[in-house]
Amino acid sequence: MKNIFFPILLIVTMVLTFALGSWQIERHYEKLEKNKILAKSFDNIDTLPLEVNNKDHTYHMFNVTGVFDFAKQVAIGPRNVNNQIGRFIYTILYTNDNRTLLVNRGFVLEDAVNKVNTIGVSKPYNIKVILIANKGKKWFVPKNNPEKGSWVYVDTKEIGDFFGDELANYYFNLMQDIGINDGVKPFISQADYKLFNPHYKYAIFWFSIFFTLLIMILIFYKRRNAKKYKNS
């Protein structure tokens, strides 16, 4: 039984590590494609269409005009950006064509979150934003607790319900400094916003384990066959 269990365990682990490596390769090329779309977006800024969908418009840049309602704002985090701990500030924007959007105004350090403006409505701004599909809660991430002001991840429906607004299943990242000067640092360049793509390294890690296990199982069977030959 022991002689059967060990190779079965190795084979199952090999299949798993090969699948994980293949998935990371796929994710690597997905991120490359998304970064290409982002690069094109910086050269082709469109007006936000009336009909928006995540499939066709995610990672595309648009011009939007509207006012920020600073009273309808959440600080989501904590997050680590360039080895600094802080939060992203998401603010409701009312557009001049009567739409309600959620805009990530940028990053603020943890000790400066309480200094971010939370009062009043801004003057009208014409801003550049990139559309992001709302992916919701990830595994092992704590739930949001709106009543206590604890926001860990973006959930446009939950944020909209909390403020009494109807939000679509996407939000926007502000891509310029509009001079609000409340400590929030927006994304201002393509370099700031290029998607982190470590998946090729992850693929190498998983494939390394796969080949290590492959060598182990080959050695196992070689020794077992040699032992059978010796005893025969």
Side-chain angles (χ1 to χ4, degrees):
M1 185 68 180
K2 291 182 178 180
N3 291 338
I4 297 175
F5 176 77
F6 180 68
I8 289 178
L9 178 63
L10 280 178
I11 291 171
V12 170
T13 308
M14 285 172 59
V15 171
L16 180 61
T17 54
F18 186 84
L20 287 169
S22 300
W23 177 61
Q24 291 299 332
I25 290 291
E26 182 179 343
R27 293 283 290 139
H28 170 75
Y29 285 107
E30 284 179 2
K31 285 286 183 71
L32 287 179
E33 188 61 32
K34 288 176 181 178
N35 277 326
K36 287 180 182 179
I37 294 173
L38 279 169
K40 291 179 181 179
S41 295
F42 279 84
D43 298 323
N44 299 284
I45 305 174
D46 299 318
T47 300
L48 187 66
L50 293 176
E51 297 294 330
V52 178
N53 65 78
N54 291 340
K55 181 179 179 181
D56 295 331
H57 298 123
T58 296
Y59 298 117
H60 287 260
M61 186 178 289
F62 300 100
N63 274 321
V64 176
T65 300
V67 296
F68 287 106
D69 188 343
F70 297 118
K72 295 184 176 182
Q73 185 166 261
V74 296
I76 293 182
R79 298 288 189 272
N80 187 329
V81 176
N82 296 326
N83 295 320
Q84 294 181 309
I85 303 299
R87 296 174 187 267
F88 286 103
I89 305 300
Y90 289 76
T91 309
I92 295 291
L93 178 83
Y94 296 113
T95 70
N96 62 348
D97 57 355
N98 299 315
R99 285 190 274 189
T100 303
L101 308 178
L102 183 65
V103 178
N104 176 5
R105 294 201 291 119
F107 182 77
V108 63
L109 294 176
E110 188 72 19
D111 59 3
V113 171
N114 292 332
K115 299 177 183 178
V116 175
N117 182 30
T118 58
I119 300 174
V121 176
S122 75
K123 67 180 183 180
Y125 287 103
N126 180 260
I127 57 176
K128 294 184 295 184
V129 293
I130 282 181
L131 189 146
I132 308 295
N134 186 186
K135 298 179 180 178
K137 183 178 179 296
K138 296 181 179 180
W139 290 359
F140 308 115
V141 173
K143 291 183 177 180
N144 292 328
N145 192 335
E147 288 71 24
K148 293 185 178 180
S150 175
W151 297 91
V152 185
Y153 61 93
V154 183
D155 185 325
T156 53
K157 185 180 186 309
E158 190 174 22
I159 294 172
D161 291 345
F162 182 71
F163 290 123
D165 287 307
E166 185 175 347
L167 294 172
N169 193 33
Y170 51 81
Y171 59 91
F172 298 87
N173 284 343
L174 178 62
M175 298 304 297
Q176 66 186 97
D177 188 346
I178 56 177
I180 293 179
N181 297 323
D182 61 352
V184 181
K185 181 182 178 183
F187 305 100
I188 58 175
S189 70
Q190 184 178 343
D192 286 339
Y193 200 72
K194 186 175 181 180
L195 296 178
F196 183 52
N197 189 5
H199 298 286
Y200 199 73
K201 292 180 180 179
Y202 297 160
I204 291 174
F205 170 77
W206 289 116
F207 283 131
S208 297
I209 296 176
F210 168 78
F211 284 111
T212 300
L213 294 173
L214 179 62
I215 292 171
M216 288 176 64
I217 201 167
L218 289 174
I219 293 173
F220 173 82
Y221 277 109
K222 184 178 180 180
R223 288 181 176 177
R224 192 177 74 166
N225 291 336
K227 187 176 180 180
K228 284 183 179 180
Y229 179 78
K230 185 177 180 180
N231 294 334
S232 60

